[in-house]
Amino acid sequence: MTRWVEPMGLLHGRGAFAAVAAGAALPLEGGATAFTLVRLIENGRIIGLMPAVETPEAWQDAVLALTRPLQPFGGLPDAASLGRPQVMAVLNVTPDSFSDGGRHFDMRAALMAADAMLEAGADMIDVGGESTRPGAPPVDPETEIARIVPVIREIAKNAPVSVDTRHAATMRAALEAGAEVINDIAALRDPGALEVAAEAGCSVVLMHMPDTDLVAMHQHAEYEDVALEVTEFLASRIAACEAAGIPRHRIAVDPGLGFGKTIEHNLELVNRLPLMLGLGCPILVGASRKRFVGTIAGVTKPRDRLAGSVGVAVAAAARGAAMLRVHDVAETVAALKLWRACVTGAAVQG
């Protein structure tokens, strides 16, 4: 029997604290957000929607688990202490990235960009050497390693680095160069990837995509309940990690917006993000400059999708995202600070 509790009726800031104090809501992950309702799901079927404080006894352990703070991820301050989600800055060391057209392919340009991202408020730099845009040719690990290792080695001297790769060999080389986090779109399904992560003792981000083939995944964009199916996939990958010796507190999850999903699927995943909080792991959301953002906003060029990307980032933060993977760091950090200040009535300094 599989059970999930989906927090609903979210409140933020003063309203959340007042509702918890009045016994009308429960705190979400011990922070400044509370949930007033829960949707109970059993074996893929919704069996009830009710006040969170009136959950049947058989479900109470699962509900109370949603109230406990998560452990910090990747050695970074958690969202509660930061006053906003962590910001993971995208640094593509590729000649064919969909978002920047290879602007950071040169090492000097990449290092200058990383410095600017950190100055703008990034908490971690996510370095990738393979484009995952639709139709991009695959990159072998040797080429990928040659692109990213020199960059990672320099950035890691002064800042936390994650490596955006799906190849076990690249993971090992990046970790040896100083990366602290593996950010894998394939959720450690490459042969040897689980073993590399377990041996290194690093943190990992597991992303959902319905097929490990970047072309074939778009042929599998069919779901009866996309939020539930993505959550259950991620639960299975968490279980695989734990079996390999990677503890849950070193795992974050990513719903994989745009990877084998339609616009409607992406929107449903953002809207129902709190369902994934039942996994007990921080949630990373990466919507920055993606095609669905441009389609909804009516913007063709990826670099012109700033406003839409920030809009999705704030929506994800309001629904429990602990990390956001973004291209436009300064604008995202500012928007998050203003959103938090508006809902709490207190400005976030720094």
Side-chain angles (χ1 to χ4, degrees):
M1 180 171 61
T2 304
R3 285 178 168 177
W4 296 99
V5 176
E6 184 171 1
M8 302 181 72
L10 302 186
L11 301 172
H12 303 283
R14 294 176 180 176
F17 294 125
V20 171
L26 295 173
L28 191 62
E29 296 184 335
T33 298
F35 57 105
T36 60
L37 301 169
V38 290
R39 181 154 53 191
L40 308 182
I41 304 170
E42 186 173 272
N43 295 332
R45 183 173 62 90
I46 296 172
I47 65 171
L49 176 67
M50 62 193 63
V53 296
E54 297 178 10
T55 309
E57 184 176 354
W59 293 77
Q60 286 180 8
D61 287 347
V63 172
L64 290 176
L66 293 167
T67 70
R68 301 185 189 111
L70 295 174
Q71 296 186 48
F73 175 80
L76 298 175
D78 59 21
S81 59
L82 278 176
R84 58 164 175 79
Q86 298 167 3
V87 172
M88 176 188 281
V90 180
L91 183 62
N92 294 312
V93 190
T94 59
D96 56 349
S97 167
F98 88 96
S99 62
D100 54 35
R103 290 176 60 211
H104 307 139
F105 191 47
D106 173 76
M107 181 169 171
R108 182 171 179 272
L111 295 179
M112 290 178 62
D115 286 343
M117 292 169 179
L118 293 166
E119 181 67 23
D123 302 294
M124 177 176 288
I125 306 297
D126 190 44
V127 181
E130 179 185 33
S131 175
T132 55
R133 63 179 173 80
V139 175
D140 61 81
E142 291 76 16
T143 300
E144 191 180 25
I145 289 168
R147 290 175 177 177
I148 67 173
V149 162
V151 175
I152 290 174
R153 187 174 290 120
E154 290 302 312
I155 298 173
K157 294 176 182 178
N158 302 304
V161 176
S162 58
V163 57
D164 175 13
T165 183
R166 56 197 175 113
H167 301 122
T170 306
M171 294 172 192
R172 188 182 299 279
L175 293 169
E176 291 173 353
E180 300 175 35
V181 175
I182 295 170
N183 179 22
D184 183 8
I185 63 171
L188 301 183
R189 284 182 279 179
D190 190 50
L194 283 167
E195 291 76 12
V196 169
E199 291 169 10
C202 65
S203 296
V204 300
V205 180
L206 309 174
M207 196 195 81
H208 171 273
M209 63 176 180
D211 193 292
T212 56
D213 186 286
L214 292 173
V215 176
M217 69 175 176
H218 293 292
Q219 300 170 5
H220 300 290
E222 297 181 2
Y223 310 88
E224 291 186 13
D225 183 331
V226 65
L228 183 59
E229 290 173 49
V230 167
T231 301
E232 291 184 336
F233 167 87
L234 293 170
S236 72
R237 295 310 300 159
I238 292 170
C241 285
E242 290 182 318
I246 304 169
R248 193 172 296 242
H249 70 263
R250 294 212 317 259
I251 302 171
V253 295
D254 178 349
L257 301 183
F259 285 80
K261 283 99 176 173
T262 64
I263 291 177
E264 292 74 18
H265 293 147
N266 293 326
L267 297 177
E268 179 77 354
L269 285 167
V270 173
N271 187 44
R272 296 181 61 194
L273 207 62
L275 174 63
M276 296 176 203
L277 297 175
L279 294 167
C281 299
I283 300 172
L284 181 150
V285 172
S288 183
R289 300 187 183 180
K290 288 190 174 177
R291 181 179 297 179
F292 83 95
V293 173
T295 300
I296 295 171
V299 179
T300 302
K301 295 181 180 179
R303 291 180 62 186
D304 294 337
R305 297 170 185 167
L306 167 61
S309 299
V310 170
V312 180
V314 172
R319 289 161 175 79
M323 293 183 287
L324 298 167
R325 184 176 182 273
V326 307
H327 298 84
D328 303 292
V329 175
E331 294 85 350
T332 304
V333 170
L336 292 171
K337 287 182 179 179
L338 267 294
W339 167 72
R340 178 57 69 183
C342 288
V343 299
T344 63
V348 178
Q349 302 298 320

